[in-house]
Amino acid sequence: MSNYHIKNLEEYFQVYRKSVREPEKFWQEVAEEHFVWRKKWDNVLSWDFSKPEVKWFENAKLNITENCIDRHLLAQGDKTAIIWEPNDPKEEALHLSYSELHKKVNQFANVLKDNGIQKGDKVCIYLPMIPELAYAVLACARIGAIHSVVFAGFSASALATRTLDADCKMMITSDGSFRGDKKIDLKGIVDKALEDCPDVETVLVAKRTGADINMKEGRDKWLEPLMEKAADNCKPEIMDAEDPLFILYTSGSTGKPKGMLHTTAGYMVYTAYTFKNIFNYQNDDVYWCTADIGWITGHSYIVYGPLLNGATTLMFEGVPSYPDFGRFWEIVEKHKVNQFYTAPTAIRALAKKNLDFVDKYDLSSLKVLGTVGEPINEEAWHWYDNHIGKNKSPIVDTWWQTETGGIMISPIPFATPTKPTFATLPFPGIQPVLMDEVGKEITGNQVDGRLCIKFPWPSMARTIYGNHDRYRDTYFSAYKDKYFTGDGALRDETGYYRITGRVDDVIIVSGHNLGTAPIEDAINEHPAVAESAVVGFPHEVKGNALYGFVILKESGESRNQDNLRKEINQQIADKIGPIAKPDKIQFVEGLPKTRSGKIMRRILRKIASHDISDLGDTSTLLNPEVVDEIIEGINNN
Ligand code: WT7
C-alpha cells in the first residue's frame, strides 16, 4: 500500500492509527517514498519538549529545491509550474514551466552568490506577489541562505524591526506594487526601513511598476540585468535535515514579533504530504491558493507544498475586488482552477455582493475548496458550498499556524465527511489533546478546552530566532510536555474538532494574526496618550475587528477627538501597517483593573461587543466605577 495518498475514510483511520502507534516508522515510509535525498537519515526522530528540542531525519542531506524543481525536469519539464495572474486582467498571465522555473531560480541563486550571500546568511524579501517573489524564496533555499519574507503590506518600521531581528544582510524588493487601482511605493518604504538597518549591504530591486525611484549608489541594484548575466546553473547546496530553511514572523502577546524558525527536511516532508492529501491534487490539476507568500499559507501551500508535488500553482498579484467583485471567479474560469484555497474573511466579503458576480462564470472545474486562517461561520460555509462548490466540492477547513508549518487538523476530501464550521480530524501524525486551565487533559467527547499537541510533527518550528527561552515559555510551559497552540477548541460526539478561537492576547482580524501588545505600544507612543487597551469584537466580514480604549494624559483633552483618532490610526499604520488599525477608538477616563494592576480585558471585550448584560463580578476591581463610565461613552465614538 502506498502511504502517500489517502483515498477513503477507512484508509485514513488505518493510516492515522499507524502514525500514532509507530510514528517513526510511519514518517520514515513517507520520507522514503517521494523525495530525493543526498544521504538518508541515521535516526528519524529525537525529541524533548521540556527543552524544547526536536530533530527529524537526523543527519540526512538534501536540498529542498532539488525536490521542488530538478526532480520534475525529466518527466515533466514542460509542465506549467507557476501560473502568474497579474493585478490587471488585461495584462497577460504568465505560464512558467518547470524548466523555466529551474532557469530563473538558478540565475537568481547565482545573483545572490555574486552579491556575497552564502549558506546560513539571512535575506529579507519584501516583494509583492510577482514571480520574482517565488524565485527569490527558492533561490535562497538553493544556496542554503535563510529567507525571511516580510508581507509587503507591513510598514517601514515593522520591516526594519524584522530585518534587524533576523540579522539580514540583503534586502530583495521591487520598485513598487500594484494592488487594485493603487500603486504602492515599496522601494520608498524599504529606503525608510533601511535607515535603521546598517547591516543590509545590498538591495536587489525587481522592476514592476516602472516608478521613478531612488537607487542608492553602491547598495541598490536592479535585478533584471544581473539575472540576464548570471549563469543558469547553480549547484544546489547540500543541506543538513535540520539546517534552517526560513524565518517567518508572527505576532505574539508582547510587542516584539516572533521569528519562527523552520528547518529543512521535516518541513519538506510534511508540506508535501499534506498538500497531496488535503487538496487531493491530481496530475493535471491547477491549484490556486489566494494567500500572499508573505504569510505561512503562501510559503507552504503556494510555493513549497505544490512544487514538491510537481503541481501547477497559481499566484495572483491582485485583490478580490478589482476590477470588480467577480475577479476570483473570473480567474477560476480563465485558468480552469481545480482546487481553490482562501480565507473566511474573503468568503464573507464576497458573499455580501450580488450573486451575479459568481454566476457569470463557469466554475465547473472546481473539485476541492479550502479555507484557512480563522474559524468559518456557518453562513459563510454554506454560501461557499452552495454557490462556489455547487454542493459537489468538499470544503477542507484547515486549521494550522505559522508555528506548525503545515496543516494540522482538516478533512481529507472524498474521505472525511465534512461538517460546517468543523476542521474535523487530525492529519496523520498529529496528536491533539484538549486541556483544562489547571493542566489536566480533558478526555472523552463532547468537551471543550485548550488545544495542545502532545507529540512532535515534522514541520513544527524549532525555535524563535534569537530567543529560545521565549519559544519555550510561549509554547511549552503552559502544559508540561505539550505544545500549546493558543487556541480553544471543542470535540464533538464523533471526535471532530472545531476551533473556537484564540484564548490569548492574539486577535485574528481578516485572517491576520495581530497581537494586542504591539498595537497598544503604537498607540501609547502618541504624545497625548497615557495608556491604552485593545480588544477584539465580532465583525461581519473581518471575523474580528479591533476596539481601542484610550486614556489621554490630560483628561477632557480639549483637542478635537476625531483628529486624535486619525493621528493614532496613522501612528499604528506607520508602526505596524494599515491592517492593525482599530475600527473604533474610545477615549476613556480609566481602564478596569484588578488589584494587582492587570487590565481586565474580559470586561472590555464584552463592552466592545455591546454584550453588557452580564459583565460578571466587577466588585473586585480596583476601580469598578470606570466600567459604567466606559459603557456610557460607547456611543460617543
Ligand atoms: C491562528 C494562526 C495557518 C495559516 C494562516 C494563519 C487561526 C487558522 C484556522 C481554522 C479556526 C484558524 C487560529 C490559529 N486559524 N486556521 N481553520 N479555523 N481558526 O496563520 O497567522 O499563524 O494564525 O489562526 O487561531 O492559532 P497564523
Side-chain angles (χ1 to χ4, degrees):
M1 178 188 81
S2 159
N3 263 327
Y4 199 69
H5 185 196
I6 298 162
K7 293 180 193 63
N8 54 53
L9 191 61
E10 196 191 328
E11 194 181 331
Y12 161 78
F13 281 117
Q14 264 175 25
V15 171
Y16 185 78
R17 272 194 294 269
K18 176 168 171 184
S19 77
V20 171
R21 284 184 194 146
E22 301 173 285
E24 303 189 12
K25 182 156 183 282
F26 172 77
W27 285 112
Q28 158 138 331
E29 283 175 17
V30 174
E32 270 173 350
E33 194 167 337
H34 218 70
F35 304 91
V36 177
W37 301 93
R38 291 298 186 105
K39 176 183 171 292
K40 292 265 170 86
W41 45 91
D42 299 332
N43 182 28
V44 178
L45 169 67
S46 64
W47 66 292
D48 178 351
F49 274 0
S50 71
K51 284 184 178 165
E53 189 179 88
V54 174
K55 290 185 184 155
W56 282 93
F57 309 111
E58 242 172 307
N59 298 327
K61 305 285 179 206
L62 72 155
N63 184 286
I64 194 167
T65 69
E66 218 172 10
N67 283 278
C68 286
I69 309 172
D70 305 48
R71 178 162 57 106
H72 309 308
L73 290 182
L74 209 54
Q76 51 169 48
D78 294 335
K79 178 174 173 178
T80 301
I82 297 176
I83 298 175
W84 176 70
E85 170 71 20
N87 177 63
D88 180 351
K90 293 196 215 76
E91 192 180 336
E92 210 181 317
L94 175 77
H95 292 254
L96 194 86
S97 70
Y98 272 91
S99 333
E100 288 162 332
L101 179 63
H102 183 265
K103 182 170 168 194
K104 294 284 186 191
V105 170
N106 279 274
Q107 285 175 321
F108 207 136
N110 281 324
V111 172
L112 296 179
K113 277 185 164 171
D114 292 344
N115 282 280
I117 299 299
Q118 297 176 349
K119 177 177 178 180
D121 284 343
K122 270 75 75 182
V123 174
C124 183
I125 303 175
Y126 186 71
L127 278 171
M129 284 287 283
I130 56 177
E132 285 79 2
L133 172 50
Y135 311 157
V137 162
L138 293 163
C140 287
R142 185 86 174 168
I143 64 167
I146 301 164
H147 54 79
S148 169
V149 184
V150 175
F151 171 60
F154 276 116
S155 68
S157 154
L159 175 60
T161 309
R162 288 160 177 77
T163 306
L164 281 172
D165 186 78
D167 304 313
C168 293
K169 274 180 71 175
M170 179 188 267
M171 174 76 72
I172 304 174
T173 189
S174 65
D175 56 354
S177 68
F178 295 119
R179 269 182 85 75
D181 54 12
K182 288 206 236 10
K183 220 177 180 183
I184 296 153
D185 175 20
L186 283 194
K187 179 63 169 48
I189 297 172
V190 166
D191 288 342
K192 196 151 168 248
L194 293 190
E195 285 170 16
D196 301 323
C197 306
D199 296 337
V200 172
E201 292 159 9
T202 311
V203 180
L204 298 179
V205 187
K207 207 179 204 89
R208 175 59 185 135
T209 60
D212 187 17
I213 56 161
N214 184 42
M215 294 291 280
K216 188 172 166 182
E217 182 79 46
R219 186 194 71 181
D220 302 353
K221 299 178 184 175
W222 287 104
L223 177 66
E224 276 77 2
L226 299 178
M227 290 277 279
E228 275 164 27
K229 270 191 288 173
D232 58 15
N233 209 341
C234 172
K235 269 217 322 246
E237 187 75 36
I238 304 308
M239 306 297 286
D240 188 84
E242 284 296 334
D243 275 339
L245 177 63
F246 65 87
I247 296 168
L248 184 63
Y249 284 87
T250 186
S251 319
S253 46
T254 74
K256 212 173 161 212
K258 297 175 290 197
M260 304 313 307
L261 184 114
H262 284 279
T263 59
T264 305
Y267 178 82
M268 173 180 82
V269 169
Y270 196 78
T271 53
Y273 183 55
T274 46
F275 174 79
K276 172 71 183 166
N277 282 289
I278 292 168
F279 297 103
N280 193 45
Y281 187 84
Q282 308 292 324
N283 229 338
D284 294 318
D285 288 347
V286 173
Y287 161 89
W288 179 22
C289 165
T290 70
D292 192 291
I293 292 175
W295 310 113
I296 190 71
T297 311
H299 280 60
S300 302
Y301 299 111
I302 296 177
V303 181
Y304 288 113
L307 297 179
L308 285 164
N309 284 282
T312 299
T313 177
L314 192 150
M315 256 180 99
F316 174 43
E317 181 185 33
V319 292
S321 54
Y322 181 82
D324 63 39
F325 287 96
R327 185 67 191 278
F328 272 4
W329 321 124
E330 183 198 334
I331 296 174
V332 168
E333 176 184 288
K334 177 176 172 188
H335 296 293
K336 301 197 173 46
V337 171
N338 302 110
Q339 289 89 3
F340 177 76
Y341 190 29
T342 195
T345 187
I347 299 167
R348 287 191 297 264
L350 295 173
K352 285 175 88 83
K353 305 293 163 190
N354 198 312
L355 264 182
D356 290 350
F357 285 121
V358 178
D359 293 339
K360 247 169 58 190
Y361 299 102
D362 175 8
L363 305 183
S364 61
S365 56
L366 289 172
K367 296 193 287 191
V368 175
L369 302 178
T371 93
V372 60
E374 57 188 311
I376 182 165
N377 49 306
E378 189 128 10
E379 215 185 325
W381 196 98
H382 285 297
W383 186 86
Y384 201 27
D385 187 35
N386 294 334
H387 299 296
I388 307 305
K390 320 288 183 197
N391 304 103
K392 67 171 177 53
S393 307
I395 296 176
V396 291
D397 177 351
T398 64
W399 173 82
W400 58 298
Q401 310 177 296
T402 306
E403 295 85 336
T404 68
I407 296 168
M408 303 285 280
I409 303 182
S410 167
I412 291 176
F414 313 109
T416 321
T418 59
K419 175 173 177 182
T421 78
F422 280 76
T424 74
L425 297 171
F427 195 75
I430 305 307
Q431 302 189 33
V433 286
L434 296 178
M435 305 295 293
D436 69 13
E437 277 171 48
V438 294
K440 225 173 98 243
E441 182 173 340
I442 303 166
T443 54
N445 285 346
Q446 278 193 297
V447 291
D448 63 81
R450 299 181 166 213
L451 181 62
C452 292
I453 314 289
K454 70 172 180 190
F455 195 84
W457 63 101
S459 65
M460 62 189 294
R462 303 296 194 258
T463 192
I464 293 175
Y465 180 71
N467 198 343
H468 197 67
D469 287 349
R470 186 173 178 199
Y471 182 62
R472 186 188 53 237
D473 295 349
T474 309
Y475 303 105
F476 296 90
S477 62
Y479 300 102
K480 190 172 178 308
D481 286 332
K482 285 172 191 70
Y483 167 83
F484 175 45
T485 64
D487 283 320
L490 63 81
R491 192 163 50 218
D492 76 0
E493 62 289 351
T494 63
Y496 272 18
Y497 287 88
R498 172 190 192 164
I499 313 303
T500 47
R502 302 289 310 190
V503 295
D504 57 8
D505 289 338
V506 170
I507 304 171
I508 313 270
V509 179
S510 299
H512 299 311
N513 187 330
L514 297 171
T516 53
I519 303 172
E520 288 162 7
D521 290 349
I523 297 176
N524 297 349
E525 273 181 32
H526 189 286
V529 171
E531 196 183 356
S532 62
V534 171
V535 298
F537 68 98
H539 185 282
E540 236 190 306
V541 172
K542 301 179 183 183
N544 294 296
L546 301 173
Y547 197 121
F549 296 91
V550 176
I551 309 179
L552 297 174
K553 281 187 184 146
E554 287 172 41
S555 81
E557 170 85 33
S558 56
R559 299 171 58 180
N560 180 322
Q561 296 206 336
D562 284 341
N563 281 345
L564 264 179
R565 278 195 193 97
K566 274 194 204 125
E567 286 168 23
I568 289 173
N569 274 318
Q570 188 56 46
Q571 197 139 318
I572 295 169
D574 290 346
K575 284 251 113 188
I576 304 166
I579 48 176
K581 289 197 282 192
D583 273 31
K584 296 207 169 140
I585 292 179
Q586 179 180 350
F587 297 107
V588 297
E589 296 292 321
L591 292 167
K593 289 194 176 164
T594 63
R595 284 176 199 277
S596 61
K598 203 168 177 289
I599 297 171
M600 287 285 275
R601 290 170 188 278
R602 184 178 54 77
I603 292 175
L604 293 176
R605 272 196 289 271
K606 289 209 153 186
I607 297 176
S609 318
H610 292 229
D611 171 21
I612 48 178
S613 55
D614 175 25
L615 289 179
D617 184 10
T618 55
S619 65
T620 57
L621 289 174
L622 190 66
N623 49 355
E625 70 288 351
V626 300
V627 175
D628 290 335
E629 184 246 319
I630 295 176
I631 293 172
E632 269 168 42
I634 289 183
N635 295 319
N636 305 332
N637 66 85

